[in-house]
Amino acid sequence: NAPTNQSTSKKLVSIEISDNVANPVNKAIYNFSYGYFEASDYALPTGYSYSDVGNTHKKRLKLTSITMPNSSNYSFNYINEADTGYSRFTYGVDHWGYANGKESNFHNKALLGQDYLFTGASCGSDRSSDFSKGKSSLLSRIKQSSGTETVIDYESNTAYNYADEIGGGRVKSIITYDLIKGTAIKKNYNYNKANGQSSGFLFIKPVYRIISN
C-alpha cells in the first residue's frame, strides 16, 4: 500500500545542559533552525496518488543554523540547495541510492538496473552514478558569526577495481577563511596510492540478475 499522508517525524530544536548544583542553576542552550530541500513534482509511481501521499515526499529536512549559548551562531549551506531536488519516490538513483537524474527509469524497468555483467538498452534502468547529480545536498559552507567561513569541496568516490564512478562523494578540499584577518588555509585530501591508483575497493559490484544453465 502507498504510505499515508501523515508525518510524525520529529526534529531536534534545542539541547539544554544544566548545572543543577550551581545557585542559581546554570544553563547552556543550543538552538537548531531548519529548512527544507524542495523536490520536483515528478509523476508518482504506479499505485501512488497524491490523495494518499500528499507532498511530504518532496521535502527533506536540512539544518540551516545553530545558535550557541553565547548567542554566536553557525549557518550552513548545501550544494545545489536552491535548485529543485529529487522526490523520495524517484527512480532516478544510482546503484547506491544516490540521485543520478535518470528520471526516465520511471518508464523503463523501475529499479532493475544495468550492471557490470549485463549492459544494453534491454537490460533495465540506467543506475550509473552521476556525481554532478549525486553531490546535491552535501554540506558546502559553514559560516560563523565571529568571522570564520569554511568551504568544502567534494569529488566522486572511486575504486581501483571498478572503472566507473561510485555513488556518493568524499571531501576533496576544505578552505577556512578568516574574514577579519583576510587569511585562508586550504587542506587537500588525496585518496590515491603512491602509484596513482585509487585506494578504494568495491567489495561487491552491482549485479541485479544471474543466468543459470
Side-chain angles (χ1 to χ4, degrees), residues 103-125:
E103 293 299 328
S104 60
N105 289 343
F106 175 79
H107 303 290
N108 200 344
K109 295 183 177 64
L111 296 180
L112 183 65
Q114 300 180 39
D115 54 45
Y116 89 110
L117 290 179
F118 299 89
T119 60
S122 63
C123 288
S125 297

Side-chain angles (χ1 to χ4, degrees), residues 13-16 28-34 63-76 143 145:
V13 296
S14 66
I15 296 176
E16 182 177 305
I29 302 176
Y30 301 80
N31 292 305
F32 304 90
S33 298
Y34 299 89
L63 180 65
T64 57
S65 68
I66 300 175
T67 301
M68 311 298 284
N70 62 0
S71 296
S72 65
N73 67 79
Y74 295 84
S75 61
F76 306 97
K143 295 180 181 179
S145 57

Side-chain angles (χ1 to χ4, degrees), residues 75-146:
S75 61
F76 306 97
N77 293 106
Y78 302 85
I79 296 176
N80 298 335
E81 65 179 315
D83 297 338
T84 301
Y86 298 90
S87 164
R88 291 197 296 273
F89 293 151
T90 182
Y91 283 120
V93 293
D94 65 17
H95 301 296
W96 295 273
Y98 294 92
N100 67 359
K102 304 297 191 296
E103 293 299 328
S104 60
N105 289 343
F106 175 79
H107 303 290
N108 200 344
K109 295 183 177 64
L111 296 180
L112 183 65
Q114 300 180 39
D115 54 45
Y116 89 110
L117 290 179
F118 299 89
T119 60
S122 63
C123 288
S125 297
D126 184 352
R127 298 195 64 181
S128 60
S129 294
D130 184 343
F131 182 62
S132 67
K133 305 294 185 182
K135 68 181 180 180
S136 294
S137 304
L138 289 176
L139 179 65
S140 62
R141 190 179 300 266
I142 305 170
K143 295 180 181 179
Q144 189 175 356
S145 57
S146 61

Side-chain angles (χ1 to χ4, degrees), residues 2 5 7 19 22 24 37-38 42 45 74-75 79 95 101 115 122 155-156 158 171:
N5 183 25
S7 177
D19 180 359
F37 296 106
E38 299 283 351
Y42 293 112
Y74 295 84
S75 61
I79 296 176
H95 301 296
D115 54 45
S122 63
E155 64 184 14
S156 63
T158 60
V171 174

